[in-house]
Amino acid sequence: MLSELLQFLFSGLTVGAMYALAAVGFSLIYSASGVINFAQGEFIMLGGMSAALLVQAGVPLPLAIALAVLAAAVAGLIVEKLAIEPAGNSEVVTLVIITIGASLTLRGLAEVFLGKGNHALPAFSGEEPIAILGATLMPQSLWVMGVTLVVVVALALFFGRTTLGKAVLATSCNKLAAQLVGINTRFILLLAFGLSGALGALGGILVAPMTYTSYDVGIMMGLKGFVAATLGGLGSGVGAIVGGLLLGVVEAMTAGYISSAYKDAMPFVLILLILFFLPQGLFGKKTTDRV
């Protein structure tokens, strides 16, 4: 029983770490603008697809990863510049619809230029499983959880120790006040889209060696990243991480102890239960000063 529980837990934490990266991307953009970016799933897809195709073309894996993350970050900047910025001070609902349109556009472009086939990356450090108390852990799972931990620490240092990071936090607390003290909130939004694109791509790359990637994987990944961000409390970095890990574990336990047929439904059942009792999520603020 213990080995079975550990096996499900390892699986859940691995997938949950990827959801956490996607959720942080949602939270970054929401903090900077109040917008839910439903193109986040396509950044995940772009990262995995780009890295896999570059490796197949003969590019060394580390360089392929770097280029794929850069490509998704640039895609995020383009979405902000061509879709969000021209909308100006439109209603939030309008901006959300624009991000849905951007998602469909990115998916269509990926289908045309990257193809409809399934692709996979080679494992970063072999495929020999590691035995722990009767359960097995793939080396790639350690990469997923380890890189996610590094990203969390890096973001904490960025927001806590750098002027630019503090400007992002100021914008999230009160956009108007941030503008009055000279912070370029338009640049902050552009930065948030670039960072969210890079984080999404990183998540897609890390799980690509364990699951196939294709032009349409971003739909479900994006939805689950949104669920994770909402569970933790939109705009909360800590909440995004906790929400992602919690979501991954709940999925794995559902698939293991109930049925894999209900795995994809459980995130939405979970979010209904959490938001019924905690409408702001686990770490969300009860009030907001957003202007």
Side-chain angles (χ1 to χ4, degrees), residues 56-81:
Q56 290 173 18
V59 177
L61 181 60
L63 179 58
I65 292 173
L67 290 175
V69 171
L70 179 61
V74 170
L77 298 177
I78 291 174
V79 167
E80 198 283 332
K81 273 294 181 183

Side-chain angles (χ1 to χ4, degrees), residues 72-135:
V74 170
L77 298 177
I78 291 174
V79 167
E80 198 283 332
K81 273 294 181 183
L82 298 185
I84 301 299
E85 186 173 312
N89 295 319
S90 300
E91 295 290 330
V92 171
V93 173
T94 302
L95 295 175
V96 169
I97 293 173
I98 289 173
T99 67
I100 294 173
S103 171
L104 296 173
T105 301
L106 289 173
R107 193 181 314 148
L109 290 173
E111 182 180 4
V112 171
F113 292 105
L114 302 181
K116 297 182 179 180
N118 294 325
H119 304 275
L121 277 173
F124 294 179
S125 55
E127 299 181 358
E128 184 68 27
I130 303 167
I132 302 176
L133 297 177

Side-chain angles (χ1 to χ4, degrees), residues 117-202:
N118 294 325
H119 304 275
L121 277 173
F124 294 179
S125 55
E127 299 181 358
E128 184 68 27
I130 303 167
I132 302 176
L133 297 177
T136 58
L137 182 66
M138 299 301 294
Q140 189 65 32
S141 296
L142 294 178
W143 276 100
V144 175
M145 292 184 279
V147 171
T148 300
L149 178 61
V150 170
V151 168
V152 170
V153 172
L155 287 175
L157 292 174
F158 172 70
F159 289 121
R161 301 293 181 85
T162 69
T163 302
L164 187 57
K166 291 176 181 178
V168 176
L169 292 178
T171 301
S172 71
C173 290
N174 191 310
K175 185 176 180 180
L176 179 59
Q179 291 173 331
L180 291 175
V181 297
I183 295 175
N184 185 345
T185 55
R186 175 57 61 186
F187 173 75
I188 295 299
L189 179 58
L190 183 65
L191 174 67
F193 267 88
L195 282 176
S196 69
L199 290 172
L202 197 56

Side-chain angles (χ1 to χ4, degrees), residues 189-223:
L189 179 58
L190 183 65
L191 174 67
F193 267 88
L195 282 176
S196 69
L199 290 172
L202 197 56
I205 291 167
L206 289 170
V207 298
M210 297 183 292
T211 61
Y212 286 105
T213 183
S214 64
Y215 78 96
D216 58 353
V217 299
I219 304 172
M220 189 57 70
M221 292 293 189
L223 284 174

Side-chain angles (χ1 to χ4, degrees), residues 275-287:
L275 295 185
F276 181 79
F277 296 102
L278 296 170
Q280 303 299 326
L282 296 174
F283 295 89
K285 299 177 181 177
K286 293 183 178 180
T287 59

